[in-house]
Amino acid sequence: ASSQRPKGVEAIDMQKPYQNFTFCTPEKLLQKLRYIAQYECRSTGSAIRILIRNRVVQFEKEHGEIL
């Protein structure tokens, strides 16, 4: 597992305080996410934060910065 960000993905300040957010997802999808997180030596929560961060970065590249 690599700790490097994909090309073009800038660091986003992910320092605490975090805000709790609950969502529902199919069990099979969560199992797959846990597998990926474990493979990358991350917690499931960390893997979710990275996925969200990457999507926000992608969206802002396409549509401009969200203020």
Side-chain angles (χ1 to χ4, degrees), residues 14 32-38 40-54:
M14 294 184 46
K32 290 180 179 190
L33 179 61
R34 286 180 176 145
Y35 178 91
I36 293 167
Q38 185 178 23
E40 296 177 344
C41 299
R42 303 181 192 284
S43 68
T44 303
S46 178
I48 292 169
R49 284 189 297 275
I50 290 167
L51 289 169
I52 293 169
R53 178 196 66 201
N54 290 347

Side-chain angles (χ1 to χ4, degrees), residues 2 7 10 13-14 16 18 25 27 29-30 39 41 52 55 58-60 62 64:
S2 174
K7 183 178 179 182
E10 297 179 22
D13 184 11
M14 294 184 46
K16 289 188 177 182
Y18 294 133
T25 189
E27 184 177 351
L29 185 59
L30 183 57
Y39 182 86
C41 299
I52 293 169
R55 177 60 183 123
Q58 177 187 8
F59 184 93
E60 288 185 327
E62 295 170 6

Side-chain angles (χ1 to χ4, degrees), residues 21-32:
F21 179 79
T22 302
F23 67 99
C24 296
T25 189
E27 184 177 351
K28 188 69 175 173
L29 185 59
L30 183 57
Q31 289 173 350
K32 290 180 179 190

